[in-house]
């Protein structure tokens, strides 16, 4: 069993893992001191690339490769995505509240590697406590000389500040986040240009997730190949999974990928509450198509999830037991996406609202049998072919995400959807 | 630059200047300034948006386009305590809808409404990142996890009877909470003094009680 990377300190130091004193006593900022004294920026970037770590925000793109795209033109920026809003996900909140210095050390190392002198931490507006914890840690880091001008007399300088969001899921999409940080509506941008070429203030910008950057101190300290050696080849490293729903032990668990879903749900998360039967689960946040008990022995890796027509996404696993009304559950998710659609693209703006309205009609007992085909037809208009990964008619994946619960309940629980349709409607009388 | 925010408190004006200096481009300050405006005016008013616009050097319409995009900017007055009940999937599965109904009943309001004494507004919100401690509720954006419908009623009554100056998450959690997403670790000294996220630069965090 591999030791935890991200949560070891907070587990061992329950009451003060967020303070700089504890961070320093447990070896914190030593990696930074060594790196600034003896490593070139290129060497750090090489270690991160060698780690094969795939971004922990949801898309799973290798972080080192993303860094390699950054255009070499000053000024350039690093933006940390702490807009964690995918339903089921609460891992970054724990990392922000309980070990903010780990993130800050990662930010300084990443900025040094990227040649960045200004970084922003974008934290969702509903996270004022995590934002306060991070701001205190930033203030402490400035006092100790780990941030600011000429850090540890290395000649390298970095300014970091926290930006609080205003309540909009879409700002987790990196170009929407950049628009928001610029003081605009959080509407995703057309890509290309990608942020690495034209990002914040139209300057080269890297946007990385909180968990991704929190791994950087360990990777630089232990070497990228050590990180790559942990777990399955294309799902390297440890990873935070947020378990919620009808499990006995909900919470965040830092695990090595490659175990089975059965291990995760029944062992790590303690099984289903009241010994009920498992009905279905969402494997990677509300955007992910659901899995059912026949998939319990599939390995938990990024690529195996793709093979099953779904994704690990943000690492949010939402478990539903046999008592769950899956139509109501799907409605909760569709309502979420309808609420959070930014409104730019017609298929998403109109389609998500139609999906919500039709589901509400069905739940009221006023559905027609053809409403099931209508749900799939609207879904197909948002994401043609209903394939995986989803085809897009929209600038960002929010619209296609809203079709995931529709596909899931019609694929696995069609009888339960039909049970809501009045008999007279089914018989056509 | 002397007139625009003359109606703001000295503290608010000082915060505005700090925020403008924080970013490479002043426009980036629009979101934090809208929180300052919310504090100064009680909610996002036309006057507040106008003043933010003048501070940044954009039109009031540009500020409005931002202020209407994000759910945390309130364009109508809200109660002294904004009670936000999550009913997204994990909270839905564990009774978030019942918590919302109970909170509305205790406050005597429909979803989104404000109690007659102007103390409590109850709103439905989408996922607030507390899924392991579902169902979750926030009061002025300070979190309570593992709330039941019964506890939600107690919470509303307590807010109206006690009218705390500072909303402290640890206190609320102890009184009205249950299952948490994770160990919260050290107690948090700061809390919220208004229905605006309590984050230092925006001015609503206070040390202790």
């Amino acid at each position: 069993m591999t030791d935890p990377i991200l949560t070891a300190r907070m587990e061992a130091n329950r009451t003060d893992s967020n303070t700089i004193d504890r961070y320093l006593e447990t070896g914190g900022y030593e990696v930074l001191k060594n790196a600034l004294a003896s490593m070139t920026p290129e060497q750090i970037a090489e270690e991160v690339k060698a780690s094969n770590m795939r971004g922990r925000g949801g898309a799973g793109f290798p972080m080192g490769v993303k860094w390699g795209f950054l255009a070499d033109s000053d000024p350039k920026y690093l933006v940390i995505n702490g807009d964690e809003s995918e339903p089921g996900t609460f891992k970054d909140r724990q990392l922000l509240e309980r070990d903010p210095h780990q993130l800050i050390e990662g930010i300084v190392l990443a900025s040094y590697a990227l040649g960045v002198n200004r970084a922003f931490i974008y934290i969702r507006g509903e996270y004022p406590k995590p934002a306060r914890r991070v701001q205190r840690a930033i203030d402490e880091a400035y006092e100790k000389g780990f941030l600011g001008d000429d850090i540890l007399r290395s000649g390298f300088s970095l300014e970091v500040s926290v930006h609080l969001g205003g309540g909009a899921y879409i700002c987790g999409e990196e170009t929407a986040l950049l628009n928001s940080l610029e003081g605009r509506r959080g509407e995703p941008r057309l890509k290309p240009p990608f942020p690495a070429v034209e990002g914040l203030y139209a300057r080269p910008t890297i946007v990385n997730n909180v968990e991704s950057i929190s791994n950087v101190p360990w990777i630089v300290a232990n070497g990228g190949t050590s990180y790559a050696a942990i777990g399955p080849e294309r799902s390297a490293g440890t990873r935070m999974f947020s378990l919620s729903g009808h499990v006995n032990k909900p919470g965040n668990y830092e695990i090595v990928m490659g175990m089975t879903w059965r291990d995760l749900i029944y062992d790590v998360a303690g099984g289903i509450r009241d010994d009920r039967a498992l009905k279905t689960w969402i494997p990677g946040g509300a955007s992910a198509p659901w899995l059912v008990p026949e998939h319990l022995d599939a390995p938990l890796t990024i690529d195996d999830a793709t093979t099953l027509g779904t994704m690990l996404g943000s690492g949010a696993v939402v478990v539903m037991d046999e008592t769950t009304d899956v139509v109501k559950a799907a409605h909760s998710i569709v309502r979420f996406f309808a609420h959070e659609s930014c409104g730019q693209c017609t298929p998403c703006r109109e389609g998500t609202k139609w999906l919500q309205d039709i589901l509400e009609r069905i739940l009221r007992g006023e559905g027609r049998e053809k409403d099931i085909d209508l749900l799939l037809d609207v879904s197909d208009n948002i994401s043609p072919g209903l394939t995986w990964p989803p085809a897009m008619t929209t600038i960002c994946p929010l619209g296609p995400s809203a079709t995931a619960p529709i596909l899931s309940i019609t694929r696995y629980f069609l009888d339960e959807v039909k049970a809501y349709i009045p008999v007279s409607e089914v018989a056509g009388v | 630059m002397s007139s625009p925010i003359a109606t703001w408190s000295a503290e608010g004006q000082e915060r505005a200047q700090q925020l403008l200096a924080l970013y490479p481009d002043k426009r980036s300050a629009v979101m934090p300034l809208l929180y300052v405006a919310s504090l100064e005016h009680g909610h996002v008013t036309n006057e507040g948006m106008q003043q933010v616009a003048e501070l940044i050097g954009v039109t009031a319409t540009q500020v409005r386009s931002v202020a209407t995009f994000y759910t945390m900017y309130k364009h109508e007055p809200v109660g002294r305590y904004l009670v936000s009940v999550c009913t997204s999937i994990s909270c839905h599965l564990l009774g978030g809808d019942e918590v919302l109904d109970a909170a509305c009943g205790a406050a005597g309001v429909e979803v989104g409404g404000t109690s007659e004494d102007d103390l409590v507004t109850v709103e439905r919100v989408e996922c607030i990142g507390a899924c392991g401690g579902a169902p979750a509720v926030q009061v002025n954006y300070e979190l309570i996890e593992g709330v039941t419908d019964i506890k939600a009623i107690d919470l509303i009554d307590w807010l109206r009877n006690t009218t705390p100056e500072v909303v402290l998450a640890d206190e609320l959690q102890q009184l009205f909470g249950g299952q948490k997403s994770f160990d919260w670790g050290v107690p948090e000294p700061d809390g919220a003094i208004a229905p605006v996220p309590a984050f230092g630069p925006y001015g609503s965090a206070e040390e202790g009680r």
Side-chain angles (χ1 to χ4, degrees):
Chain A
M1 190 65 195
T2 305
D3 291 332
I5 290 173
L6 296 164
T7 55
R9 183 179 295 100
M10 66 179 81
E11 291 300 327
N13 301 280
R14 208 191 76 77
T15 58
D16 60 1
S17 60
N18 56 310
T19 63
I20 195 160
D21 288 344
R22 178 59 64 194
Y23 194 68
L24 291 170
E25 280 170 29
T26 51
Y29 291 112
E30 286 300 317
V31 187
L32 180 67
K33 287 178 194 167
N34 293 338
L36 290 180
S38 63
M39 291 176 82
T40 65
E42 293 74 21
Q43 284 173 317
I44 293 175
E46 273 308 310
E47 294 300 339
V48 170
K49 193 168 182 188
S51 76
N52 289 338
M53 191 187 64
R54 293 169 72 169
R56 303 302 196 218
F61 195 81
M63 185 160 80
V65 177
K66 194 177 198 180
W67 284 13
F69 295 149
L70 186 64
D72 187 19
S73 166
D74 290 326
K76 38 193 186 238
Y77 298 105
L78 173 66
V79 179
I80 307 305
N81 187 343
D83 192 57
E84 176 169 77
S85 313
E86 178 78 20
T89 319
F90 48 96
K91 65 186 179 70
D92 293 337
R93 181 163 71 90
Q94 183 169 355
L95 294 171
L96 293 166
E97 286 187 17
R98 301 291 310 282
D99 206 340
H101 282 288
Q102 178 172 253
L103 173 68
I104 292 168
E105 187 170 13
I107 290 171
V108 185
L109 288 164
S111 299
Y112 176 66
L114 294 165
V116 160
N117 302 112
R118 183 73 171 93
F120 297 89
I121 307 173
Y122 187 109
I123 297 178
R124 66 177 301 191
E126 297 90 339
Y127 278 10
K129 178 179 163 187
R132 296 196 294 267
R133 292 273 171 96
V134 172
Q135 186 62 55
R136 273 184 224 130
I138 289 174
D139 294 344
E140 290 173 327
Y142 270 105
E143 278 171 31
K144 299 277 186 186
F146 299 122
L147 288 175
D149 288 334
D150 193 17
I151 295 169
L152 303 172
R153 298 197 189 86
S154 64
F156 174 67
S157 301
L158 178 66
E159 303 293 331
V160 179
S161 61
V162 173
H163 184 88
L164 207 62
Y169 164 76
I170 190 59
C171 292
E173 196 280 337
E174 63 180 7
T175 59
L177 185 149
L178 295 175
N179 273 340
S180 182
L181 183 50
E182 287 183 4
R184 302 170 198 278
R185 296 165 71 86
E187 292 167 341
R189 301 173 181 172
L190 278 169
K191 296 189 266 192
F194 287 90
V197 176
E198 205 172 296
L200 184 65
Y201 312 126
R203 303 298 312 166
T205 304
I206 292 292
V207 184
N208 283 145
N209 167 262
V210 167
E211 182 184 346
S212 305
I213 289 290
S214 294
N215 275 300
V216 171
W218 193 96
I219 291 170
V220 176
N222 296 276
T225 50
S226 302
Y227 190 90
I230 301 170
E233 190 180 352
R234 284 173 43 81
S235 288
T238 65
R239 177 155 184 192
M240 300 279 281
F241 280 85
S242 301
L243 271 291
S244 68
H246 298 146
V247 287
N248 280 317
K249 296 194 294 178
N252 288 320
Y253 297 95
E254 183 180 357
I255 62 166
V256 177
M257 285 180 274
M259 66 168 60
T260 65
W261 289 101
R262 188 184 302 281
D263 294 336
L264 183 71
I265 293 171
Y266 285 94
D267 185 18
V268 175
I272 312 298
R273 60 166 192 180
D274 302 330
D275 286 324
R276 292 197 174 117
L278 171 66
K279 186 168 190 173
T280 181
W281 73 95
I282 309 174
S287 303
W290 308 356
L291 296 175
V292 291
E294 68 188 70
H295 303 123
L296 272 171
D297 293 310
L300 203 165
T301 70
I302 295 173
D303 293 339
D304 285 293
T306 308
T307 306
L308 294 179
T310 186
M311 63 176 177
L312 299 187
S314 57
V317 181
V318 184
V319 175
M320 302 183 225
D321 73 16
E322 58 188 323
T323 67
T324 306
D325 183 328
V326 289
V327 185
K328 286 182 178 168
H331 169 257
S332 172
I333 296 172
V334 168
R335 186 198 60 219
F336 172 84
F337 287 114
H339 182 264
E340 300 299 338
S341 175
C342 83
Q344 273 193 119
C345 309
T346 309
C348 173
R349 182 187 65 241
E350 302 300 321
T352 55
K353 183 68 170 71
W354 272 103
L355 293 177
Q356 181 184 350
D357 287 351
I358 297 165
L359 276 176
E360 286 174 1
R361 179 162 71 205
I362 291 172
L363 283 168
R364 283 197 308 271
E366 297 168 8
R368 306 161 300 175
E369 193 175 24
K370 63 185 177 188
D371 278 346
I372 296 172
D373 286 337
L374 190 54
L375 284 170
L376 290 168
D377 187 47
V378 173
S379 298
D380 187 75
N381 272 279
I382 300 172
S383 182
L386 300 174
T387 54
W388 190 264
M392 305 254 287
T393 55
T394 46
I395 293 172
C396 88
L398 190 152
S401 295
T403 68
I406 302 292
L407 293 184
S408 302
I409 60 170
T410 53
R411 180 181 298 156
Y412 299 121
F413 306 106
L414 188 58
D415 289 347
E416 293 184 43
V417 187
K418 284 182 173 172
Y420 267 104
I421 313 281
V423 174
S424 60
E425 288 291 341
V426 176
V429 292
Chain B
M1 286 300 288
S2 59
S3 65
I5 53 170
T7 64
W8 288 9
S9 67
E11 210 180 357
Q13 295 190 37
E14 190 184 322
R15 283 189 199 112
Q17 294 307 324
Q18 286 170 357
L19 288 165
L20 290 167
L22 188 63
Y23 297 95
D25 181 333
K26 280 199 293 186
R27 181 163 178 155
S28 285
V30 63
M31 289 177 66
L33 284 173
L34 281 166
Y35 284 132
V36 177
S38 298
L39 271 176
E40 293 290 329
H41 300 278
H43 60 282
V44 175
T45 60
N46 287 339
E47 187 191 4
M49 287 187 282
Q50 181 64 40
Q51 294 188 342
V52 171
E54 288 176 28
L55 281 165
I56 291 173
V58 297
T59 66
T61 303
Q62 285 172 308
V63 173
R64 183 183 299 274
S65 81
V66 175
T68 53
F69 186 84
Y70 302 91
T71 56
M72 291 170 66
Y73 300 120
K74 306 299 183 190
H75 294 263
E76 300 292 334
V78 293
R80 183 166 170 189
Y81 306 105
L82 175 63
V83 177
S84 310
V85 182
C86 178
T87 63
S88 287
I89 184 64
S90 303
C91 288
H92 162 79
L93 290 173
L94 292 170
D97 301 270
E98 289 75 20
V99 170
L100 178 63
D101 286 345
C104 284
V109 298
E110 300 285 313
V111 175
T114 300
S115 61
E116 278 186 10
D117 55 14
D118 288 331
L119 283 174
V120 173
T121 298
V122 181
E123 65 171 359
R124 178 204 296 274
V125 291
E126 298 297 351
C127 187
I128 50 178
C131 322
V137 171
Q138 288 187 327
V139 179
N140 292 351
Y141 304 108
E142 296 298 308
L143 181 64
I144 323 172
E145 298 189 280
V147 182
T148 62
D149 46 1
I150 309 261
K151 287 289 187 186
I153 295 169
D154 293 345
L155 166 67
I156 301 291
D157 291 344
W158 183 83
L159 289 171
R160 295 171 85 178
N161 293 327
T162 316
T163 61
E165 287 292 319
V166 184
V167 173
L168 294 162
D170 290 286
E171 181 177 36
L172 295 181
Q173 179 68 27
Q174 194 177 1
L175 290 172
F176 309 107
Q179 173 76 42
K180 294 176 181 174
S181 291
F182 50 83
D183 181 352
W184 287 9
V186 65
E188 170 64 25
D190 288 0
I193 56 168
V196 172
F199 178 60
Y202 312 156
S204 50
E206 274 202 351
E207 280 293 321
R209 56 191 83 191

